[in-house]
Amino acid sequence: MDTPRLPKLKARKIDGHKGTFGTVGIFGGSNGDAQSQQPRMIGAPALVAMGANRVGCGLVKIAAPDSILNAVLTLAPMATGFPYISEEDRIAVLDRMSSECDVLVIGPGLGTGADTQRFIASVTALTPTNRCKCLVLDADALNALCTLEPFPTRFTLPTILTPHPGEAQRLLDALDIDHNPAGNASQRSLACRSIAERLHCIVVLKGMHTVVSDGHREWVCQHGHPCLSTGGTGDVLAGMIGSLVAQCLNNPDVDDFGVACIAVDTHARCGEVWSQRHNADAGLDPRDLMPLIPELLQRFRNLPLPR
């Protein structure tokens, strides 16, 4: 198993504009349902958008239920919104977003109903278009993925999965693989690699010392802090990964695996710096990461670090 060094990012073009640095589309958020006791989730897609924006993509687009979209955009005003009301609407928006966005980040706050399962089945059937080149599946997209029958053996688009240990365990169970994603370092590595090998994708197994594997290469993050163990930080990471992929599609020196590692490392270091600056082990608001992201991402650019 290869352990690669993290690559460098290109300096941004001085004559670039918002159309130069990639477009990220986000599907997330749920209105909830009192009858089935499904929670309403508004913050997750907004946090994805904030993370994507802070990493530097040119445009962010959010698709969410019409009933919550205004609230989501109030939290993330840098994004534009695409509402849907019915399942048919959502599929139509998926078709549009896949033709307008370089990367789709799907799952945060999406909900766990049967409609989500049907939607994720449509997502896994997406074929390469002249625009969308990668999927990032997180949170409820992963939970829905585990329920699909037949379970997909590979994706038609390059795909990055970002499970926490519980979601990874559900994926392993669906694949009938007996590994422990919450175990020691070697067990986590084996679990991550096994999912990546079976599904021919990149897997980011989150947790302290996050593991990234494409089934052939493996990288383990040596940074991080328990202050990141709070709701919403994973949404930020999903946005960061999607944004960096969108920006690096035309960079032959950085592939999706390297991009995922850069995002994980930057996210982990943000937790460390927040803890140091606040002299605290807990109490981080996921939005606290935002001003730290550009500062710590700069270490990967072919430029001197800012003073």
Side-chain angles (χ1 to χ4, degrees):
M1 179 64 60
D2 294 332
T3 304
R5 296 182 62 182
L6 298 189
K8 288 287 187 180
L9 301 173
K10 287 183 178 179
R12 287 165 72 90
K13 294 181 179 179
I14 194 167
D15 60 346
H17 52 80
K18 64 185 179 182
T20 304
F21 300 114
T23 300
V24 175
I26 300 162
F27 276 84
S30 172
N31 189 47
D33 183 75
Q35 186 174 6
S36 61
Q37 297 185 332
Q38 293 293 317
R40 180 173 296 184
M41 292 176 281
I42 294 173
L47 289 168
V48 177
M50 293 177 203
N53 174 259
R54 284 294 191 166
V55 165
C57 69
L59 292 168
V60 181
K61 302 183 179 187
I62 300 174
D66 180 64
S67 55
I68 67 167
L69 183 57
N70 283 352
V72 175
L73 294 177
T74 299
L75 294 171
M78 78 292 293
T80 54
F82 293 81
Y84 54 83
I85 298 173
S86 66
E87 289 189 54
E88 292 77 12
D89 289 342
R90 182 156 58 173
I91 295 301
V93 173
L94 176 64
D95 290 340
R96 176 173 179 176
M97 294 274 270
S98 65
S99 67
E100 295 183 358
C101 301
D102 299 296
V103 177
L104 294 179
V105 181
I106 299 176
L110 200 60
T112 57
D115 59 331
T116 297
Q117 297 169 12
R118 290 188 290 269
F119 176 66
I120 296 304
S122 298
V123 169
T124 61
L126 280 175
T127 57
T129 69
N130 60 353
R131 189 68 189 267
C132 184
K133 296 295 186 289
C134 182
L135 301 175
V136 179
L137 302 185
D138 184 46
D140 288 333
L142 300 175
N143 295 325
L145 184 66
C146 295
T147 68
L148 297 185
E149 294 182 3
F151 193 89
T153 55
R154 66 188 307 150
F155 302 97
T156 53
L157 284 174
T159 299
I160 302 172
L161 308 183
T162 58
H164 59 53
E167 292 159 350
Q169 186 62 66
R170 287 188 279 277
L171 286 167
L172 289 163
D173 290 344
L175 292 166
D176 197 26
I177 299 174
D178 186 19
H179 294 317
N180 181 9
N184 59 34
S186 62
Q187 290 172 322
R188 281 172 50 79
S189 292
L190 185 58
C192 184
R193 183 169 69 250
S194 296
I195 298 171
E197 285 177 341
R198 184 69 66 87
L199 296 180
H200 306 278
C201 67
I202 295 167
V203 177
V204 177
L205 177 54
K206 296 182 289 192
M208 192 61 178
H209 301 309
T210 291
V211 185
V212 182
S213 177
D214 63 0
H216 305 285
R217 295 170 291 176
E218 180 180 297
W219 175 83
V220 180
C221 183
Q222 299 304 311
H223 296 275
H225 194 276
C227 69
L228 291 167
S229 301
T230 189
T233 58
D235 303 324
V236 176
L237 177 61
M240 293 171 66
I241 293 172
S243 181
L244 278 177
V245 170
Q247 293 173 68
C248 294
L249 285 174
N250 296 317
N251 182 354
D253 298 325
V254 185
D255 62 5
D256 293 348
F257 176 85
V259 160
C261 296
I262 289 172
V264 167
D265 187 84
T266 301
H267 184 266
R269 289 175 187 266
C270 285
E272 293 178 343
V273 171
W274 182 90
S275 174
Q276 293 166 1
R277 293 182 181 175
H278 290 80
N279 193 30
D281 287 337
L284 177 138
D285 183 317
R287 292 170 294 184
D288 294 339
L289 297 172
M290 302 309 163
L292 300 174
I293 292 171
E295 173 185 351
L296 292 169
L297 182 63
Q298 193 69 14
R299 70 191 307 109
F300 290 106
R301 298 199 186 278
N302 287 315
L303 287 170
L305 290 173
R307 295 185 179 182

